[in-house]
Amino acid sequence: MGSTLRIVNGRVYDPANDVDGKTRDICIKDGKIVKSVPPKTKCIDAKGMVVMPGGVDIHCHIAGAKANIARKLQPDDHRRDVHHRLDLKKVNTRSGTGGTVPSTFTTGYRYATMGYTTAMEAAVPPLLARHTLDEFDDTPVIDKGFYILMGNNVLLYQMLQEGRHEEIRNAVAWWLNATKSYTTKLVNPGGDEPWKGHRNATITQLNDKIDGYEQLTPRKIITSMVNTVEDLGLPHPVHIHCNNLGHSGNYKTTLETMKATGGRRIHITHIQFHSYGGKPNENPTSKAPQIAEYINNNPNITADVGQVMFGRSTSMTADAPLAWMLTRYSNDKRWVNADTECESGCGIIPFAYQEQVYTHALQWAIGLELFLLSKDPWRMVLSTDHPNGGTFTSYPRLIRTLMDREFRKQQMDSVNQKAVAKIKRGHHMEREYTLQEIAIVTRAGPARILGLKNKGHLGPGADADITIYDEHEDKELMFSAPRYVLKSGHLIIDNHEFRNNHEGKILHVAPGYDEGIKDVIRPFVEDFYTIKFDNYAVSDHYIPRHEVVPTAKQ
Amino acid sequence: MAETMTLIPGRTTKQGVGLLESKFKKQYRDATTTVEINVEDMARLGLKDGCKVRLRSANGVTTVKCTGRKTEDLPTGVLFIAYGPPTSKLMGTDTGASGMPLSKHLEVELERVN
Amino acid sequence: MGAATEAKSEANIKTVENATCTFCGCLCDDMVLTVDMDAKKITKAKNACVLGKALFLSHEEEDRPFALIDGKPATLKEGVEEAAQILANARFPMFYGMSDTTCEAQRQNVALVDMVGGTIDSTTSVCHGPTGMALQGVGESTATLGEIKNRADLVIYWGGNPAESLPRHFARYAVTAKGMYTPNRKKDRTIVNVDVRRTKSVPVADIFIQVKIGADFELLWALRALVKGRHVDPNIEKRTGVSLETMKDLVERMKNCRYGVLFFGMGLSMTRGRHFNSAAILSLASDLNEYTHFIATPMRGHGNVTGADIVVSWQTGYPFGVNFSRGYPKFNPGEFTATDMFARGDADAGLILASDPGSNFTQAAIDHMKKIPMIVLDPKLTHTAKLARVAFTTSHYGINTGGTAYRSDGVPIELRPCLDSKYPSDEEVIRAIYKRVEQLLKTRKKTKGTNNKRRKAA
């Protein structure tokens, strides 16, 4: 376990415990934050520095089959951004490559170097969970978890079609256990059947019938899953990538989706991509104010922004029809499609967001609008849907854009002005996020939304995941290079240097279920998958270091 | 009298089964030292099943025995053999910057061995 | 979730269900093995094809030394020391193989290469490496095999012979398999076979298209043109040996199917054009998505060559042919691929894991391997082991050793070993070598791999 330490003289931002810039000690023992430590304890002098909990990334694509094809696809992207191994005599690290989809070791080191200590891989087909866990085992330092794709699951469709709700609950619980995952993810629910089975058609309305399942609609899938997850008491609600991502006018779908929950919890991910007005097949406009207002007024809804950042990105998504649509708009035509039997789709296309392109500038501006109009930073947290909107290494620049209105204004003046003209003017455009609000949208907020009680704060009992920044006027500089980073009490970054390697753990849920459900799932797997049911579930071999996060029922 | 033909090394189940036993035993050795020749070509060259022939490429030479195949299965001028140490001798080293040597469609001179 | 049921009898027989056969890329995980625990032999392998049966039934506990140094028996520890010295002192070591071992061993192997600043290549480079290069150029539309089983109504085999190399491919995945939308098995599908000769895979096909040797690229390109409605000059018939009428018929079938699949093999990746052939077929499938759902996927011959691809990609960003001399991964097929490194005489040491280049590589490569200190890990005595300075006998993955293997479509499966072995696994040996090399490198005076001479300013 980590050392016994005391951090002294730092200005602490711990919004979950109402600490807003007060100078106070943080005590660490055995990997946890504790109330006190012996007087002779080794100290880190954080004078002139800002102390925050380690960052928590609620939505990124960093490990698994999809990420790996995207990695393999772009040697050009790696070549320009290499990651050296360090001197073996000082610390044994692995080399790697970066770009928009870094290799796994580089991913872990770079998150840590930026002061992030937890990251959640957002979309994994259950059949391929083993692959994600394998890659996680080679992603150092950070704690991690992942969400399993369940919105296009053929067996669940059959159960839903026949109204077998009790079985759905047990099946979803079985699947979460079998994959060691964190929650259920819905991506373009209902969209896979027409894509795979109907010559690449897609679904556009929540009330559209799903190919081959006359009783089903995206709405029914969403409500069923929302109810199921609530029944299971999962710490994090259904995490949804709404239908119609990227299409003009899709804000209506987003509002409908939020309303479909009937007041129950749901997390809308990368909501920027779902906040467009305008007519289908015409240029989009911004409906950020409407979306922000709905979320402000409905406490059951949480969201992460999915900010677009200019430069190279990789669109990689389980929303296969979306990726196919994007090939039209990308200069890079290396399109990847990857179907996973009975469970999911996937599409990948390298992309680049450019300041001068109307749509890209508008998307960028909409993301900022959502941040600036948000009345509750606890429920509108920071993400770029890495690497879809931008890479996670762009978070410091995004933070600066939120905190520094002059910097923001400079950028606004330099992007496509037709797009900027579409943005609502008002006081909110002058808003500057405070350090405390940044601590909320990058740490405390995501941790709370995820239901991770030991993350995102610095109170006793929390994991000793701590980031200490030199205070700088240039917030991009400040947030890109913390002076100290501790993970589970181990000093990973010490005076800007990578000092110690550390292996993080897998965070997953293990809700109870009726064992009898296996007799229902087994014949389906044996008939329609291509592996044996008894080989489906992931054994403990793949979670050498893990923590079960209890459900509300446990 | 040597004749130029195209050799295709590939996989066969006999070769697969043989290597699982041992690459130094009979089944694997037989599989990788038996070349399939079109029966018309065999007749023209005065060859019978089991005859020894020498295959020579720009890179090396190897001696194998032959077995016949009908024209509808194996076109004239084409040879097939299970790949192994004999065919490795015939492959060229130029990978065209791909890492892959040209392992099929090797141009060889086939000559009967007496 | 157990699968091993003990059937007690005087003869100490165990049954292991749901075991995985690791011979070919089908990675069938429905093996039912009957194991004689006393004789340490597998007496039955239910569901295995002829290759799988050979794999399991010919397995026997070897009686060879744990290691050989220059052909003489040695202990594991002595072998590890010798191997570690070789690698710590090498300047440009070449690591190759990896297709017949677990991902756990593969991962450790890449860690070792990273640490010594060597070069790693897997058998991918002489299998579907060109397809990987094609992916980097044009992308791909693919699917897991169950999707094909359930939905594909048009299946095209191109330049491959699964009847001999992947014997259960037809029955499990693509021709006679029963799926959700293919309940009538073969009757719900049209099977096409494209090849230069009539292989044993042709009889299951409804349509056989015999293409001229070396003309696959031209045929694929012509099909692409026809799919896009472009004119194709009739001289294509002479060039490819295939009539325009046949091509147009195939294009109509492809555009009008519900879910089409192109399976392709070494006939494309190993022949004139290599990655251009692969890129052509991948592009054809991608193009067809304007009309219908179409995928293309390579057929892969070895049990875990896909795993090697996947592991090297996630750890370095590149699938094969990766060099670490500068302290970070560099990728360059032709420069850092094993065939080239050995044939050109660049490598000054080698470590071959679970592969037999001594049998399958070009003569120039084999000649060079004989000249340099080679380390080999293999359960069997191979041609490569015979020319090695240090040869380790390791246990069989899938039979003695558990771990992960990835099927040709990327589905990861956990292996179920059925017999213990006195020999260490590949992973254990690599870890031991790693530990010793780490000690040696940490205590040496010069920093490994750097050029210590200062260059004078120009």
Side-chain angles (χ1 to χ4, degrees):
Chain A
M1 280 263 95
S3 16
T4 306
L5 280 174
R6 190 203 303 268
I7 303 169
V8 298
N9 298 329
R11 286 200 359 262
V12 175
Y13 290 85
D14 183 9
N17 295 308
D18 287 314
V19 183
D20 185 355
K22 287 199 181 63
T23 301
R24 50 172 56 179
D25 291 359
I26 306 284
C27 300
I28 299 156
K29 187 168 189 268
D30 291 334
K32 293 281 199 183
I33 296 180
V34 294
K35 276 211 186 91
S36 66
V37 285
K40 294 264 188 213
T41 301
K42 181 169 169 213
C43 284
I44 294 177
D45 186 357
K47 182 146 185 233
M49 300 178 206
V50 158
V51 183
M52 287 194 184
V56 177
D57 196 341
I58 196 172
H59 184 109
C60 55
H61 300 277
I62 55 173
K66 182 169 74 244
N68 212 30
I69 304 182
R71 234 175 237 136
K72 204 174 142 179
L73 181 71
Q74 304 180 78
D76 44 311
D77 199 27
H78 301 315
R79 206 165 259 132
R80 63 186 177 93
D81 182 18
V82 301
H83 186 99
H84 287 252
R85 57 173 298 122
L86 297 177
D87 183 353
L88 184 62
K89 292 181 181 154
K90 292 196 184 151
V91 57
N92 191 347
T93 60
R94 295 291 297 271
S95 67
T97 53
T100 56
V101 193
S103 53
T104 53
F105 299 102
T106 304
T107 299
Y109 298 141
R110 284 188 179 175
Y111 264 115
T113 306
M114 226 172 54
Y116 266 68
T117 50
T118 305
M120 305 302 276
E121 157 61 57
V124 177
L127 179 66
L128 307 179
R130 214 170 259 119
H131 186 158
T132 294
L133 288 165
D134 259 350
E135 291 199 14
F136 271 166
D137 203 38
D138 277 349
T139 306
V141 186
I142 57 176
D143 287 346
K144 44 245 165 202
F146 63 99
Y147 315 142
I148 46 168
L149 293 158
M150 302 240 87
N152 286 290
N153 183 300
V154 177
L155 175 56
L156 291 180
Y157 278 10
Q158 287 187 355
M159 290 176 175
L160 188 56
Q161 173 108 315
E162 293 159 24
R164 292 146 62 189
H165 300 290
E166 176 89 4
E167 283 189 359
I168 291 174
R169 189 165 48 78
N170 282 304
V172 170
W174 176 82
W175 249 300
L176 289 163
N177 277 276
T179 53
K180 315 291 184 212
S181 53
Y182 200 73
T183 195
T184 63
K185 173 80 182 290
L186 304 181
V187 172
N188 189 27
D192 273 1
E193 285 307 301
W195 171 251
K196 296 174 184 176
H198 205 119
R199 299 205 177 94
N200 299 349
T202 188
I203 214 157
T204 53
Q205 300 300 322
L206 284 192
N207 294 330
D208 274 351
K209 296 223 188 324
I210 294 171
D211 248 52
Y213 296 90
E214 295 310 300
Q215 308 299 320
L216 294 191
T217 61
R219 183 188 299 281
K220 288 198 177 148
I221 299 169
I222 294 165
T223 47
S224 168
M225 203 51 78
V226 164
N227 294 339
T228 301
V229 167
E230 176 131 321
D231 286 347
L232 291 174
L234 298 188
H236 184 52
V238 167
H239 194 107
I240 184 169
H241 158 142
C242 298
N243 302 95
N244 287 328
L245 185 150
H247 292 270
S248 294
N250 66 5
Y251 85 104
K252 292 193 189 125
T253 311
T254 314
L255 287 173
E256 266 187 74
T257 303
M258 294 194 280
K259 288 177 183 152
T261 65
R264 293 202 166 84
R265 290 177 69 202
I266 197 169
H267 182 88
I268 315 282
T269 190
H270 44 66
I271 198 164
Q272 172 274 124
F273 289 108
H274 302 273
S275 305
Y276 306 152
K279 298 201 191 73
N281 300 318
E282 286 182 15
N283 268 345
T285 61
S286 165
K287 288 292 185 187
Q290 287 82 347
I291 296 292
E293 192 190 359
Y294 189 90
I295 295 180
N296 285 337
N297 296 331
N298 287 279
N300 60 310
I301 312 286
T302 57
D304 60 271
V305 173
Q307 176 68 33
V308 150
M309 301 296 282
F310 297 113
R312 273 180 87 144
S313 70
T314 298
S315 290
M316 63 157 107
T317 171
D319 189 342
L322 166 68
W324 174 239
M325 187 265 282
L326 284 175
T327 55
R328 232 166 288 157
Y329 302 105
S330 180
N331 288 327
D332 193 319
K333 298 298 181 195
R334 292 177 290 173
W335 170 65
V336 172
N337 173 69
D339 306 333
T340 302
E341 60 212 58
C342 304
E343 295 182 352
S344 175
C346 159
I348 302 170
I349 185 126
F351 208 77
Y353 290 98
Q354 299 159 73
E355 285 97 326
Q356 291 319 303
V357 174
Y358 169 85
T359 312
H360 302 174
L362 184 72
Q363 290 174 304
W364 173 82
I366 289 174
L368 291 179
E369 273 193 290
L370 289 165
F371 275 114
L372 299 173
L373 287 167
S374 161
K375 290 209 170 83
D376 186 359
W378 289 94
R379 293 190 294 113
M380 179 72 79
V381 299
L382 188 148
S383 76
T384 60
D385 188 16
H386 163 87
N388 288 276
T391 75
F392 64 83
T393 50
S394 67
Y395 294 172
R397 170 162 272 238
L398 176 54
I399 290 171
R400 183 178 179 200
T401 309
L402 295 173
M403 293 185 75
D404 181 346
R405 63 171 160 253
E406 273 312 308
F407 181 65
R408 187 187 319 141
K409 200 164 169 296
Q410 276 166 33
Q411 290 182 76
M412 281 254 164
D413 289 341
S414 69
V415 308
N416 182 302
Q417 292 303 295
K418 282 206 181 95
V420 168
K422 291 275 188 258
I423 302 301
K424 170 180 160 182
R425 298 288 152 192
H427 282 309
H428 62 281
M429 295 304 287
E430 303 300 305
R431 178 178 171 186
E432 288 189 327
Y433 267 60
T434 61
L435 277 173
Q436 184 75 325
E437 287 173 318
I438 293 298
I440 295 171
V441 297
T442 59
R443 283 116 163 111
R448 180 177 291 181
I449 297 172
L450 286 166
L452 289 169
K453 297 202 165 72
N454 300 329
K455 302 279 186 208
H457 73 100
L458 297 173
D463 289 346
D465 298 344
I466 304 167
T467 311
I468 304 174
Y469 299 100
D470 286 319
E471 185 131 34
H472 271 293
E473 207 178 303
D474 179 347
K475 297 293 182 270
E476 183 174 353
L477 181 59
M478 174 176 165
F479 279 91
S480 58
R483 184 179 281 270
Y484 301 101
V485 177
L486 290 104
K487 176 73 191 72
S488 303
H490 297 271
L491 197 55
I492 307 293
I493 306 280
D494 180 4
N495 257 313
H496 295 300
E497 263 192 59
F498 193 94
R499 193 69 79 187
N500 279 309
N501 225 333
H502 171 75
E503 299 299 328
K505 56 186 185 283
I506 303 296
L507 303 164
H508 64 111
V509 295
Y513 60 91
D514 180 349
E515 291 277 332
I517 196 65
K518 288 185 194 170
D519 294 328
V520 177
I521 303 175
R522 178 190 299 270
F524 185 88
V525 170
E526 306 271 313
D527 283 344
F528 301 118
Y529 281 74
T530 46
I531 65 165
K532 299 290 284 181
F533 175 77
D534 284 331
N535 287 335
Y536 190 110
V538 173
S539 76
D540 287 350
H541 170 70
Y542 297 91
I543 46 166
R545 294 161 308 278
H546 69 117
E547 182 183 308
V548 177
V549 178
T551 67
K553 314 263 157 119
Q554 290 170 332
Chain B
M1 180 196 60
E3 206 165 291
T4 307
M5 296 200 175
T6 308
L7 175 68
I8 304 175
R11 283 196 170 93
T12 67
T13 31
K14 286 208 178 82
Q15 166 213 44
V17 170
L19 78 85
L20 285 165
E21 220 192 328
S22 164
K23 281 187 174 175
F24 300 103
K25 288 199 176 144
K26 188 173 190 300
Q27 184 164 27
Y28 180 77
R29 278 213 316 273
D30 276 350
T32 54
T33 54
T34 308
V35 69
E36 293 177 10
I37 309 184
N38 175 287
V39 287
E40 292 173 36
D41 289 336
M42 280 182 80
R44 197 183 63 249
L45 294 164
L47 293 166
K48 290 198 173 59
D49 273 4
C51 276
K52 279 204 185 140
V53 290
R54 190 175 296 122
L55 302 174
R56 185 189 300 275
S57 76
N59 303 291
V61 60
T62 191
T63 303
V64 295
K65 41 188 190 303
C66 52
T67 185
R69 282 281 174 271
K70 292 181 283 190
T71 303
E72 67 194 52
D73 292 343
L74 190 68
T76 60
V78 179
L79 307 164
F80 177 81
I81 189 170
Y83 72 85
T87 52
S88 297
K89 294 203 177 78
L90 303 174
M91 287 194 298
T93 51
D94 182 12
T95 69
S98 70
M100 167 75 83
L102 274 180
S103 322
K104 288 189 194 281
H105 308 170
L106 306 173
E107 192 174 279
V108 295
E109 301 260 301
L110 181 143
E111 195 172 17
R112 182 178 162 172
V113 175
N114 290 314
Chain C
M1 254 167 284
T5 55
E6 308 273 339
K8 289 197 170 68
S9 80
E10 284 168 18
N12 197 10
I13 307 288
K14 183 169 86 168
T15 305
V16 177
E17 291 178 338
N18 305 311
T20 298
C21 171
T22 54
F23 187 72
C24 81
C26 280
L27 220 58
C28 300
D29 73 326
D30 60 345
M31 300 291 114
V32 182
L33 304 175
T34 307
V35 188
D36 183 335
M37 300 298 288
D38 293 330
K40 294 202 166 181
K41 281 192 77 68
I42 301 165
T43 55
K44 254 198 231 150
K46 179 156 166 256
N47 294 331
C49 70
V50 58
L51 295 171
K53 282 202 163 60
L55 175 76
F56 290 116
L57 301 181
S58 73
H59 172 80
E60 56 188 5
E61 173 91 327
E62 303 270 340
D63 190 18
R64 291 193 283 117
F66 278 70
L68 291 169
I69 300 179
D70 281 327
K72 299 195 187 64
T75 63
L76 177 60
K77 199 160 171 222
E78 288 165 341
V80 167
E81 181 62 27
E82 181 73 17
Q85 290 292 341
I86 292 170
L87 292 174
N89 293 310
R91 295 187 61 174
F92 208 42
M94 180 75 223
F95 292 68
Y96 177 72
M98 306 213 290
S99 48
D100 284 314
T101 189
T102 60
C103 289
E104 288 74 4
Q106 292 165 349
R107 287 163 63 187
Q108 279 312 303
N109 202 32
V110 184
L112 179 56
V113 188
D114 195 353
M115 186 169 63
V116 303
T119 307
I120 179 95
D121 191 23
S122 70
T123 65
T124 282
S125 64
V126 296
C127 166
H128 271 287
T131 305
M133 288 164 68
L135 165 78
Q136 293 167 336
V138 302
E140 72 177 359
S141 171
T142 186
T144 61
L145 289 164
E147 211 61 84
I148 295 162
K149 172 174 102 165
N150 286 325
R151 300 185 192 267
D153 59 341
L154 176 65
V155 178
I156 304 171
Y157 285 99
W158 197 306
N161 186 8
E164 300 222 50
S165 56
L166 305 162
R168 291 179 84 205
H169 201 267
F170 296 150
R172 273 200 120 210
Y173 306 126
V175 175
T176 50
K178 184 173 173 189
M180 189 170 283
Y181 301 102
T182 53
N184 300 309
R185 303 175 186 268
K186 194 157 179 293
K187 291 201 186 82
D188 290 331
R189 301 180 175 111
T190 302
I191 314 295
V192 179
N193 186 303
V194 183
D195 209 322
V196 301
R197 62 184 181 110
R198 192 177 277 271
T199 67
K200 294 205 170 111
S201 301
V202 170
V204 302
D206 300 298
I207 299 167
F208 172 52
I209 297 175
Q210 192 163 5
V211 59
K212 268 197 184 153
I213 286 186
D216 293 282
F217 180 84
E218 285 82 349
L219 178 55
L220 286 162
W221 220 251
L223 291 172
R224 283 192 78 195
L226 291 169
V227 165
K228 289 172 186 278
R230 308 265 168 82
H231 169 72
V232 174
D233 195 300
N235 65 18
I236 194 75
E237 297 186 334
K238 191 149 182 271
R239 183 68 193 87
T240 60
V242 179
S243 71
L244 257 177
E245 191 189 326
T246 304
M247 291 186 209
K248 285 179 177 165
D249 174 73
L250 182 59
V251 166
E252 278 314 293
R253 289 174 190 273
M254 292 195 290
K255 282 165 95 163
N256 293 308
C257 70
R258 293 276 293 213
Y259 193 114
V261 183
L262 280 155
F263 283 115
F264 60 103
M266 303 291 98
L268 289 186
S269 64
M270 277 186 173
T271 60
R272 164 191 170 262
R274 303 166 175 108
H275 45 293
F276 286 92
N277 297 337
S278 299
I281 204 166
L282 291 177
S283 300
L284 175 60
S286 297
D287 289 346
L288 283 159
N289 280 283
E290 289 283 346
Y291 301 92
T292 186
H293 200 87
F294 222 102
I295 66 144
T297 183
M299 293 183 285
R300 312 200 72 166
H302 280 275
N304 203 16
V305 61
T306 303
D309 235 18
I310 285 178
V311 164
V312 178
S313 294
W314 91 53
Q315 292 200 338
T316 71
Y318 310 110
F320 64 95
V322 180
N323 165 271
F324 292 89
S325 295
R326 292 207 183 161
Y328 59 85
K330 292 195 333 175
F331 168 65
N332 203 8
E335 185 179 1
F336 300 130
T337 37
T339 300
D340 302 281
M341 288 266 290
F342 284 127
R344 276 197 312 263
D346 285 349
D348 66 345
L351 188 147
I352 311 296
L353 170 60
S355 172
D356 194 12
S359 160
N360 303 328
F361 267 21
T362 62
Q363 199 55 49
I366 295 173
D367 287 341
H368 183 70
M369 285 194 278
K370 289 183 180 150
K371 293 188 203 145
I372 56 174
M374 297 279 286
I375 304 156
V376 175
L377 284 80
D378 207 296
K380 285 185 134 60
L381 184 63
T382 59
H383 285 89
T384 319
K386 284 192 171 179
L387 57 81
R389 166 86 62 84
V390 186
F392 293 96
T393 309
T394 51
S395 55
H396 280 264
Y397 90 121
I399 295 179
N400 306 126
T401 312
T404 319
Y406 283 73
R407 201 167 67 183
S408 60
D409 61 348
V411 172
I413 296 176
E414 188 175 2
L415 305 171
R416 288 183 194 274
C418 58
L419 277 171
D420 283 332
S421 167
K422 66 185 186 206
Y423 298 106
S425 66
D426 291 323
E427 185 189 353
E428 286 172 281
V429 176
I430 297 284
R431 276 186 189 274
I433 298 174
Y434 181 98
K435 227 169 129 186
R436 184 64 185 124
V437 172
E438 189 182 6
Q439 277 173 351
L440 291 170
L441 292 181
K442 274 185 172 164
T443 52
R444 74 149 32 128
K445 296 206 171 72
K446 279 199 296 203
T447 314
K448 175 99 179 69
T450 56
N451 181 349
N452 288 306
K453 295 190 193 135
R454 288 196 187 260
R455 285 177 179 233
K456 291 216 167 94

